[in-house]
Amino acid sequence: MTDREQDRTGEDEELAALALKILVAGGFGVGKTTLVGAVSEIRPLRTEELLSEAGESVDDTGGVDQKTTTTVAMDFGRITIREGLSLYLFGTPGQDRFWFLWDELSQGALGAVVLADTRRLEDCFPAVDYFEHREIPFVVAVNCFTGARTFGAHEVSKALDLEQGTPVVLCDARDKDSGKEVLIRLVEYAGRVHAARLLHAVAPRAEQV
């Protein structure tokens, strides 16, 4: 095999590999940066800055008093789920003043993980509303913080008034295997949603034939 043929084969294999874009969203201090860092097989890109006195009036640190930094643009990481399937993870900033970035980050996304903290469950309402309004498939991953009261998936789903069928999973954002399971659950769910939409779109055409 010539060098040119080898190059072409490598390019074909690269094109055959599937890369999916996933968003990781949720409220301030819920564990988005931690999750991306825990599962990423490459050194994650982080855009964190130290919390300042100027931000005290807009950054609610209640319940996350030990948090000293905040994401000001995005986090980025990559994980290979299996051969030929990689996920590119984009962690969104949690504060209201950075939400203008969400529209850019959500372009081309297969789906999203909405991280939730049961101590501050209301903080993930904006993310849930955002993805529901734009019909982007998502799962809610409850980050089980030490000392936080434990709630079942059904209780969280009811409290968030999620649309029927939206998965809720419990996880530990610090644990790679736990985070990977959340991502696998999202890919499976988003795949079913997109397949159903495609079938719905082609059904009227099939009836006309």
Side-chain angles (χ1 to χ4, degrees):
M1 182 180 292
T2 66
D3 291 341
R4 180 174 295 181
E5 289 173 333
Q6 289 179 338
D7 291 341
R8 185 179 298 113
T9 299
E11 292 173 357
D12 290 341
E13 290 177 350
E14 184 175 349
L15 289 173
L18 184 59
L20 304 176
K21 181 179 183 181
I22 302 296
L23 300 185
V24 180
F28 175 67
V30 77
K32 300 180 294 296
T33 298
T34 300
L35 176 64
V36 173
V39 302
S40 181
E41 62 195 15
I42 62 173
R43 182 178 179 180
L45 168 67
R46 292 172 174 168
T47 56
E48 289 192 305
E49 294 292 342
L50 291 173
L51 292 172
S52 64
E53 293 183 2
E56 289 181 353
S57 61
V58 290
D59 293 332
D60 180 11
T61 58
V64 286
D65 301 337
Q66 296 180 351
K67 184 173 176 60
T68 59
T69 61
T70 182
T71 298
V72 296
M74 68 174 186
D75 300 310
F76 174 77
R78 185 190 71 202
I79 178 174
T80 300
I81 298 298
R82 58 171 172 75
E83 184 177 356
L85 176 58
S86 297
L87 305 183
Y88 289 86
L89 310 176
F90 292 80
T92 64
Q95 301 96 310
D96 298 8
R97 64 185 184 279
F98 296 125
W99 281 353
F100 67 92
L101 295 171
W102 285 36
D103 288 337
E104 292 293 332
L105 291 175
S106 65
Q107 292 295 321
L110 174 78
V113 173
V114 176
L115 273 175
D117 178 354
T118 56
R119 300 170 301 178
R120 297 154 53 105
L121 196 58
E122 67 280 359
D123 288 0
C124 70
F125 284 159
V128 169
D129 290 341
Y130 181 91
F131 296 123
E132 285 185 344
H133 181 70
R134 288 162 180 78
E135 297 185 335
I136 297 175
F138 67 94
V139 301
V140 173
V142 180
N143 193 7
C144 299
F145 287 90
T146 302
R149 181 181 174 186
T150 302
F151 292 90
H154 178 72
E155 293 174 290
V156 173
S157 179
K158 186 176 180 180
L160 293 176
D161 193 25
L162 298 177
E163 295 182 355
Q164 186 175 5
T166 302
V168 176
V169 295
L170 306 182
C171 74
D172 182 344
R174 302 166 299 179
D175 183 77
K176 181 175 182 177
D177 290 337
S178 180
K180 185 176 180 179
E181 285 300 317
V182 171
L183 295 171
I184 291 173
R185 183 75 176 273
L186 170 63
V187 171
E188 293 174 343
Y189 173 65
R192 293 195 300 270
V193 171
H194 287 296
R197 289 174 181 171
L198 180 60
L199 290 174
H200 180 74
V202 301
R205 299 179 186 177
E207 293 177 355
Q208 293 175 1
V209 175

